[in-house]
């Protein structure tokens, strides 16, 4: 499932699994290559449409987090390898 994502989208989802819920600016700061906020928002929108990410409102703006628990995502990835 996650292995089917393009590399940059996979990188964003991995960041969300590593650090929990994040804002767009948090994600931009954590990426090794600088991307604009609009580029990250576009990728998050695609990930949300695909069902990998959910968006929740907070006082800091929208917080993005993975929809699947980490343990379930790992099991799914492992079963695809096997």
């Amino acid at each position: 499932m996650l292995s089917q994502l393009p590399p940059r989208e996979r990188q964003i989802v991995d960041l969300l699994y590593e650090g929990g819920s994040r804002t767009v600016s948090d994600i931009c700061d954590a990426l090794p290559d600088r991307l604009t906020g609009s580029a990250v928002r576009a990728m998050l929108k695609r990930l949300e449409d695909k069902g990998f990410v959910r968006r929740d409102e907070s006082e800091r703006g929208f917080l993005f987090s993975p929809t699947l628990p980490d343990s379930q995502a790992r099991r799914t990835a492992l079963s695809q390898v096997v």
Side-chain angles (χ1 to χ4, degrees):
M1 201 157 104
L2 290 175
S3 62
Q4 298 170 351
L5 292 175
R8 183 64 80 175
E9 289 180 11
R10 174 62 191 261
Q11 192 175 36
I12 289 173
V13 172
D14 287 344
L15 283 173
L16 294 175
Y17 277 118
E18 289 171 15
S21 299
R22 295 180 185 230
T23 64
V24 170
S25 63
D26 293 338
I27 294 169
C28 288
D29 292 342
L31 289 171
D33 304 329
R34 296 297 300 164
L35 288 178
T36 64
S38 60
V40 171
R41 278 190 289 281
M43 284 184 258
L44 285 166
K45 174 66 174 134
R46 284 195 301 270
L47 287 166
E48 189 177 8
D49 291 344
K50 293 175 184 178
F52 290 102
V53 170
R54 78 168 174 264
R55 176 179 61 173
D56 299 306
E57 287 189 51
S58 76
E59 60 252 3
R60 292 182 55 207
F62 288 114
L63 285 175
F64 295 88
S65 56
T67 55
L68 291 176
D70 187 32
S71 58
Q72 186 176 352
R74 287 181 196 203
R75 268 196 310 269
T76 302
L78 183 60
S79 69
Q80 288 178 354
V81 170
V82 174

